[in-house]
Amino acid sequence: MTVSPHVKINVKIQTDDFDLNIEIDKLKYHNKNIGAIVSFVGLCRDESDSLSALEIEHYPGMAERQIKNISSDAIHKFSLFGITAIHRFGKIKTGENIVLVIASAPHRQAAFDGANYVMDFLKTSAPFWKKEHFKDGVSGKWVDAKDADNTALDKWKH
Amino acid sequence: MTVSPHVKINVKIQTDDFDLNIEIDKLKYHNKNIGAIVSFVGLCRDESDSLSALEIEHYPGMAERQIKNISSDAIHKFSLFGITAIHRFGKIKTGENIVLVIASAPHRQAAFDGANYVMDFLKTSAPFWKKEHFKDGVSGKWVDAKDADNTALDKWKH
Amino acid sequence: MKLVYFSWIRERLDMSDEEISLPENVISLGDLTSWMNTRGDEFKAVFEHKNVVRIAIDQEHVDDMTLDITQAKEIAFFPPMTGG
Amino acid sequence: MKLVYFSWIRERLDMSDEEISLPENVISLGDLTSWMNTRGDEFKAVFEHKNVVRIAIDQEHVDDMTLDITQAKEIAFFPPMTGG
């Protein structure tokens, strides 16, 4: 498979929020062959009003490199034009954005599959850990890994 | 299945472009239980630089009503919080946006499935027709329906 | 009754809509498409392609040719949709 | 060699990283985790749960306990990831 010269991979691990419009414009820049852009935004839910914030820890260096590798895999696997992946760390309040993945492609299903694939890996295989802080002031609790996320990852192994 | 009081359906058929950030903010408004938002943007490709624009015709009234019904189906089928669907009509130049679908949900896979489901219906069952205008001035050609799109629709019938 | 046309069917018939009075023997949707086929060369060029003409009665997509259409207000004819 | 710790493993050991010199008989990754288990109660509380401790050597995720680690610069220990 040949990769288009238009291919773009943008990966950032940051404390700041992101702007979806700006990130989509970057992927579109100088490429009029894009027919489909799928974006995923993951947010901090308030869990029936009990949660006040999440604290997200990551492994600097490893996180960036691994997400770049996963994005490159996705581009080859689904013939994408580009992937943007931004994961925040530090304290994130309920209702705030945690993670953004965007996939651009000539056609619809490739863009959906590309964004979904990168998200499955971010959930299970990228070095991030979440700690929950509750409104009742109870000290933080580390979130357990979910079997459902690992099962979701398995669907790409064929 | 019960539907949350937060459920929102926003459907618009318009000539103007849309703003993804604004539409997402509308879906998020007053709901901190949203954990996942998936957006699909469909764009007018330049088909190897041969196309100059698409002209999109629709059946007013029927288009809005049908898309609202499909969005409501999706909300029940996947337990979503909301769907936004905006389809443009009239003349659309290459590189411009054609269609937007956003699905919000408590969890990731529901949001992906909801947006994908509504898009499959928009492609095959909503009353829109596309005519291609080429750069060489050759008079417009109506786009044929694609078997692949109808096959994509079949995957939800089980 | 109002008939409306879209896409290349509208262009071929050179009109987007028309008001008609149905002949008395046109009761079902099948009767209507058969009658349309007799309205001249341009209509024939459209309605002889039964597998590509899609139909909506009062803005609901239908494909049952036995449906009674005598109470319909608006019937639309169009090719397969290509939105999205 | 630098060892780094994340999440509840970091909290339990009360340090985010440390510089150590490995005993001469620690060659493989399996040797390392066995040795870690002998470094006191807090280490034991972490490393007796072999199925929940994930390992990266020089920022590459690994799970082969026979790997030679004597040339590694940085080895990380952490629980299953919960990003996204």
Side-chain angles (χ1 to χ4, degrees):
Chain A
M1 220 213 70
T2 56
V3 170
S4 154
H6 289 301
V7 161
K8 294 188 181 118
I9 295 179
N10 305 317
V11 171
K12 282 177 278 189
I13 318 292
Q14 62 188 37
T15 53
D16 291 346
D17 198 6
F18 42 78
D19 183 304
L20 185 49
N21 280 350
I22 290 174
E23 297 302 331
I24 287 182
D25 283 346
K26 282 186 206 163
L27 277 183
K28 279 164 68 173
Y29 188 69
H30 273 189
N31 185 346
K32 286 191 169 185
N33 283 307
I34 296 174
I37 298 176
V38 169
S39 313
F40 176 89
V41 177
L43 302 104
C44 178
R45 291 186 296 140
D46 72 0
E47 306 291 354
S48 309
D49 215 28
S50 63
L51 200 72
S52 71
L54 283 175
E55 201 178 318
I56 299 180
E57 181 173 335
H58 78 296
Y59 189 171
M62 182 174 170
E64 287 87 341
R65 200 170 51 170
Q66 212 178 22
I67 298 173
K68 279 181 189 164
N69 288 343
I70 285 160
S71 300
S72 179
D73 281 358
I75 283 171
H76 285 83
K77 191 174 176 73
F78 303 109
S79 302
L80 308 177
F81 282 125
I83 289 279
T84 294
I86 302 178
H87 202 304
R88 296 178 67 194
F89 68 96
K91 204 146 188 176
I92 299 191
K93 290 185 199 141
T94 57
E96 287 187 4
N97 295 327
I98 299 171
V99 62
L100 170 67
V101 172
I102 315 175
S104 62
H107 298 288
R108 172 164 106 263
Q109 198 54 47
F112 271 109
D113 287 344
N116 207 346
Y117 178 84
V118 172
M119 270 311 301
D120 277 348
F121 274 89
L122 283 179
K123 282 268 172 193
T124 56
S125 306
F128 291 86
W129 300 273
K130 286 194 192 116
K131 190 177 198 172
E132 295 174 326
H133 291 280
F134 297 97
K135 283 191 175 168
D136 62 9
V138 168
S139 62
K141 181 183 167 301
W142 290 97
V143 174
D144 281 332
K146 289 194 187 70
D147 283 347
D149 289 328
N150 290 302
T151 306
L153 189 67
D154 286 341
K155 73 172 177 278
W156 306 106
K157 292 175 183 159
H158 49 74
Chain B
M1 221 215 68
T2 55
V3 170
S4 154
H6 289 301
V7 160
K8 294 188 179 115
I9 295 179
N10 305 316
V11 171
K12 283 178 276 189
I13 319 292
Q14 62 188 37
T15 53
D16 290 346
D17 198 6
F18 43 79
D19 184 303
L20 184 48
N21 280 351
I22 290 174
E23 297 303 330
I24 286 181
D25 283 347
K26 282 186 206 163
L27 277 183
K28 279 164 66 173
Y29 188 68
H30 273 190
N31 185 345
K32 286 191 169 186
N33 283 306
I34 295 174
I37 297 177
V38 170
S39 313
F40 176 89
V41 177
L43 302 105
C44 179
R45 292 186 297 140
D46 72 1
E47 306 291 354
S48 309
D49 215 26
S50 63
L51 200 73
S52 72
L54 282 175
E55 202 178 318
I56 299 180
E57 183 174 333
H58 78 296
Y59 189 170
M62 183 174 170
E64 286 87 341
R65 199 168 51 169
Q66 212 178 21
I67 298 173
K68 279 180 190 165
N69 288 343
I70 285 160
S71 300
S72 179
D73 281 358
I75 282 170
H76 285 82
K77 192 174 175 73
F78 303 108
S79 302
L80 308 177
F81 282 126
I83 288 279
T84 293
I86 302 179
H87 203 304
R88 296 178 67 194
F89 68 96
K91 204 147 189 175
I92 298 192
K93 290 185 199 142
T94 57
E96 286 186 5
N97 295 330
I98 298 171
V99 62
L100 170 67
V101 172
I102 314 175
S104 62
H107 299 287
R108 172 163 109 261
Q109 198 55 47
F112 271 109
D113 287 345
N116 207 347
Y117 178 84
V118 172
M119 270 312 300
D120 277 349
F121 275 90
L122 282 179
K123 282 268 173 192
T124 56
S125 307
F128 291 87
W129 301 272
K130 287 195 191 116
K131 190 178 198 172
E132 295 174 326
H133 291 281
F134 296 97
K135 283 191 176 167
D136 62 9
V138 169
S139 63
K141 182 184 165 299
W142 290 97
V143 174
D144 282 332
K146 288 193 190 72
D147 284 347
D149 289 328
N150 289 302
T151 306
L153 189 65
D154 285 341
K155 72 172 177 277
W156 306 106
K157 292 174 182 159
H158 49 75
Chain C
M1 179 181 291
K2 188 181 185 184
L3 301 184
V4 295
Y5 308 108
F6 293 99
S7 183
W8 61 260
I9 295 176
R10 170 180 57 73
E11 290 182 339
R12 188 74 194 239
L13 300 179
D14 202 20
M15 60 182 161
S16 58
D17 57 89
E18 61 178 325
E19 283 292 338
I20 56 154
S21 300
L22 291 182
E24 282 197 357
N25 61 339
V26 172
I27 309 294
S28 71
L29 189 53
D31 297 338
L32 176 63
T33 58
S34 299
W35 175 69
M36 295 293 277
N37 206 7
T38 67
R39 294 178 65 200
D41 287 351
E42 294 305 326
F43 283 92
K44 191 169 169 151
V46 171
F47 286 90
E48 71 184 0
H49 301 293
K50 284 188 183 165
N51 55 331
V52 298
V53 177
R54 300 285 187 271
I55 304 168
I57 297 180
D58 293 333
Q59 305 196 352
E60 290 286 345
H61 201 176
V62 296
D63 58 7
D64 177 356
M65 288 295 150
T66 69
L67 283 172
D68 185 322
I69 53 147
T70 53
Q71 302 304 309
K73 292 192 179 72
E74 181 175 297
I75 299 185
F77 297 97
F78 44 81
M81 293 86 132
T82 55
Chain D
M1 179 181 292
K2 189 180 185 184
L3 300 184
V4 296
Y5 308 107
F6 293 99
S7 183
W8 61 260
I9 294 177
R10 169 180 57 72
E11 289 181 341
R12 188 74 194 240
L13 300 179
D14 202 21
M15 61 180 158
S16 58
D17 56 270
E18 60 177 328
E19 284 291 336
I20 55 153
S21 300
L22 291 183
E24 282 196 359
N25 60 340
V26 172
I27 308 293
S28 72
L29 188 54
D31 296 339
L32 176 63
T33 57
S34 299
W35 176 68
M36 294 293 277
N37 207 5
T38 67
R39 294 179 66 199
D41 288 350
E42 294 306 326
F43 283 91
K44 191 169 167 143
V46 171
F47 286 91
E48 70 184 0
H49 301 292
K50 283 188 182 162
N51 55 331
V52 297
V53 177
R54 301 285 186 271
I55 305 167
I57 298 181
D58 292 333
Q59 304 196 353
E60 291 285 345
H61 202 175
V62 295
D63 57 8
D64 177 357
M65 288 294 150
T66 69
L67 284 172
D68 184 321
I69 54 148
T70 53
Q71 302 305 308
K73 291 192 181 71
E74 180 174 296
I75 298 185
F77 298 97
F78 45 81
M81 294 85 130
T82 55

